[in-house]
Amino acid sequence: KQEVTQIPAALSVPEGENLVLNCSFTDSAIYNLQWFRQDPGKGLTSLLLIQSSQREQTSGRLNASLDKSSGRSTLYIAASQPGDSATYLCAVSIGSFGAGTRLTVKP
Amino acid sequence: DGGITQSPKYLFRKEGQNVTLSCEQNLNHDAMYWYRQDPGQGLRLIYYSQIVNDFQKGDIAEGYSVSREKKESFPLTVTSAQKNPTAFYLCASSISRLYNQPQHFGDGTRLSIL
């Protein structure tokens, strides 16, 4: 069974910092990996989807990479802003989610 | 705007009662999913449906039931057999259950016990 781990569970940074969120998974036979953002009490908003054949995807200040052989993905956020404060979750294929990293960006 | 609508936003269940959570989508997606989210844990898959009149159990289906009579609708019933129903329930959809398709989520229903 696929196990997905996100470390750290929480992260607090000052505004303007570049930061990296980590996602690791145990079974490298994946179809895709999707990064989501969740605001308190809300549903999930899709940020980036990386297909298994891809190495990375970019959208604005966000860049996600995928290394299937090592079972890792990273989400890079450039020039963080207070509005980036949320919980970030990764999902491997469909149905396997990490517990998320709660990010706080301080003004 | 296309999207997924979940209702109600908050729901309370009494002892021995069944309750039904609504999920409607106007994205013309074939596949729909129900997840449960508990504090500090990742989402866990309850049920999914790939097409109308078909659905499959996920990892934690016990105490839950679903139906898929219309493409747009995938209601979830939390039965009295589910002994720990307090959680945040999320409905999602994707174009199909082919594994290269992204999932889209509703805003969730928070279920509590009275």
Side-chain angles (χ1 to χ4, degrees), chain A residues 31-32 34 38 43 51 94 98, chain B residues 33 37 42 88 99-100 103 106:
Chain A
Y31 294 90
N32 60 39
Q34 194 168 1
Q38 185 176 32
Q51 305 291 356
I94 285 180
Chain B
Y33 315 84
Q37 186 177 33
F88 190 48
Y99 283 80
N100 58 349
Q103 294 184 85

Side-chain angles (χ1 to χ4, degrees), chain A residues 19-99:
Chain A
L19 57 99
V20 174
L21 307 181
N22 297 295
C23 172
S24 61
F25 46 94
T26 54
D27 186 349
S28 62
I30 69 170
Y31 294 90
N32 60 39
L33 188 142
Q34 194 168 1
W35 281 94
F36 295 90
R37 168 188 174 134
Q38 185 176 32
D39 292 293
K42 296 289 190 180
L44 277 63
T45 300
S46 180
L47 298 174
L48 290 164
L49 172 74
I50 311 176
Q51 305 291 356
S52 62
S53 58
Q54 297 175 317
R55 296 282 294 184
E56 65 179 313
Q57 280 285 339
T58 298
S59 176
R61 294 182 294 108
L62 306 179
N63 175 275
S65 66
L66 175 64
D67 183 345
K68 283 198 306 178
S69 62
S70 66
R72 292 177 185 274
S73 176
T74 61
L75 178 67
Y76 175 81
I77 302 177
S80 58
Q81 304 169 358
D84 294 330
S85 297
T87 296
Y88 291 80
L89 297 100
C90 66
V92 176
S93 300
I94 285 180
S96 296
F97 280 79

Side-chain angles (χ1 to χ4, degrees), chain B residues 61-92:
Chain B
E62 186 174 349
Y64 300 96
S65 66
V66 294
S67 63
R68 186 88 186 273
E69 298 176 0
K70 298 187 300 182
K71 186 175 185 177
E72 302 80 18
S73 179
F74 191 40
L76 173 74
T77 296
V78 184
T79 75
S80 57
Q82 173 49 248
K83 298 306 179 189
N84 184 23
T86 298
F88 190 48
Y89 291 86
L90 288 158
C91 178

Side-chain angles (χ1 to χ4, degrees), chain B residues 34-106:
Chain B
W34 273 106
Y35 291 92
R36 170 180 172 140
Q37 186 177 33
D38 294 282
Q41 298 188 33
L43 278 66
R44 291 183 289 169
L45 184 63
I46 304 173
Y47 268 98
Y48 65 93
S49 168
Q50 299 184 71
I51 56 172
V52 173
N53 292 323
D54 177 73
F55 48 83
Q56 306 294 329
K57 291 181 179 180
D59 298 322
I60 55 164
E62 186 174 349
Y64 300 96
S65 66
V66 294
S67 63
R68 186 88 186 273
E69 298 176 0
K70 298 187 300 182
K71 186 175 185 177
E72 302 80 18
S73 179
F74 191 40
L76 173 74
T77 296
V78 184
T79 75
S80 57
Q82 173 49 248
K83 298 306 179 189
N84 184 23
T86 298
F88 190 48
Y89 291 86
L90 288 158
C91 178
S93 71
S94 63
I95 294 173
S96 73
R97 200 171 184 254
L98 292 174
Y99 283 80
N100 58 349
Q101 300 297 330
Q103 294 184 85
H104 301 264
F105 281 80

